[in-house]
Amino acid sequence: MEHRSVAIDGPAGAGKSTLARAMAQQLNFRYVDTGAIYRTVALGLYRTGQDVSKVLEQPQCLEEMDVHMDYDAEGLQHMYLNGEDVTTAIREHYISAITSQVAAHPNVRAFLLEVQRKQANLHDVVMDGRDIGTVVLPHADVKVYLTASPEERARRRYLELEQKGDTTPMEQILQDIIKRDEQDKNRPIAPLRQAEDAVVLDTTTLNQKESLDALVTLVRERLSL
Ligand code: DC
């Protein structure tokens, strides 16, 4: 059976994961957070205790790592690294910076391509990331490019981290976001860019409910749901 797929791409902090998760729930699709998969690989490399760029030069470093995902009864995606549930650990601020570097490596992208496609072959999915509409699921039924200004994205991330007790200053978060945007857009492999047939949704001035409504309306229309 052909499964339906919604690809959501865009820069860090545009609200992709929150919106994609909520939309998947409404549509009864599986939500696949591909950033979490990259984060898990980054954590695995970080835990070797060696310089990540050096470890990546060793061709066997990825095969030695057991990365897999699973869904709990509430439909939440859990990430496992060598059998350990690292769903929370991969959200640490320092992992974000390493992940951007790790995700730019062609071996890592090739290693994770099938993991992601497999999900779309087996389930109706809402999948979010950076290259879902362009590389992973070029034939997705609906493609959305979700964005917001860097300042607004930094503000949202700040509030999110603050809730977890992380006191990283706003200015540092903004600088990190700008740096990550640059890295993600300018890398030679699978750079962050809008698919030609993607619908752009800028959420700078929209709250979460307005963004979700816009997204769900679009997808329902396209998929005749
Ligand atoms: O969405 P996120 O912040 O969890 O993503 C973490 C990093 O992984 C970010 O630097 C971009 C990268 N990434 C990617 O290159 N391709 C994806 N499909 C998803 C994330």
Side-chain angles (χ1 to χ4, degrees):
M1 182 186 134
E2 267 290 291
H3 287 284
R4 290 159 302 177
S5 53
V6 180
I8 303 190
D9 291 302
K16 292 189 304 292
S17 51
T18 311
L19 292 171
R21 183 181 300 118
M23 179 165 68
Q25 208 167 20
Q26 284 199 20
L27 300 174
N28 204 18
F29 281 22
R30 174 169 276 197
Y31 166 53
V32 183
D33 173 358
T34 64
I37 310 175
Y38 282 94
R39 283 170 180 271
T40 304
V41 171
L43 180 65
L45 295 172
Y46 174 77
R47 284 187 174 172
T48 62
Q50 299 167 50
D51 184 332
V52 166
S53 54
K54 294 229 169 68
V55 186
L56 277 167
E57 295 315 315
Q58 303 160 13
Q60 79 287 4
C61 70
L62 296 170
E63 277 73 37
E64 284 170 352
M65 206 186 292
D66 173 23
V67 172
H68 76 268
M69 57 201 283
D70 207 350
Y71 286 80
D72 66 18
E74 268 105 57
L76 278 183
Q77 174 180 329
H78 285 251
M79 292 307 308
Y80 295 87
L81 174 64
N82 303 324
E84 176 193 341
D85 187 334
V86 293
T87 311
T88 307
I90 57 172
R91 296 293 151 196
E92 296 284 340
H93 191 61
Y94 71 93
I95 291 295
S96 304
I98 304 168
T99 308
S100 183
Q101 184 192 350
V102 166
H105 202 283
N107 292 355
V108 174
R109 302 210 76 86
F111 180 65
L112 295 182
L113 190 59
E114 285 316 310
V115 176
Q116 298 169 82
R117 285 189 177 155
K118 191 174 156 201
Q119 290 295 322
N121 286 335
L122 297 174
H123 312 277
D124 289 333
V125 292
V126 176
M127 191 177 286
D128 81 5
R130 302 296 189 285
D131 61 338
I132 309 305
T134 51
V135 177
V136 180
L137 304 177
H139 304 297
D141 297 296
V142 189
K143 299 180 186 178
V144 180
Y145 189 82
L146 202 68
T147 189
S149 70
E151 291 74 18
E152 176 59 17
R153 290 187 279 131
R155 195 186 67 83
R156 292 175 190 171
R157 196 65 112 194
Y158 177 82
L159 295 175
E160 202 178 287
L161 290 172
E162 195 185 34
Q163 273 196 347
K164 295 182 206 153
D166 185 326
T167 54
T168 308
M170 174 87 87
E171 187 50 33
Q172 191 191 324
I173 295 173
L174 177 60
Q175 290 315 316
D176 287 353
I177 280 188
I178 292 170
K179 189 168 158 215
R180 272 219 282 162
D181 281 359
E182 281 300 303
Q183 280 182 7
D184 292 345
K185 282 181 184 163
N186 295 319
R187 65 188 179 200
I189 308 280
L192 167 64
R193 69 183 165 80
Q194 190 189 319
E196 273 175 23
D197 48 352
V199 175
V200 180
L201 182 62
D202 186 328
T203 67
T204 305
T205 60
L206 301 180
N207 66 27
Q208 203 168 303
K209 184 178 181 309
E210 290 165 334
S211 306
L212 180 61
D213 287 349
L215 210 52
V216 171
T217 303
L218 168 77
V219 171
R220 283 198 189 281
E221 246 173 49
R222 291 287 182 96
L223 295 178
S224 311
L225 290 172

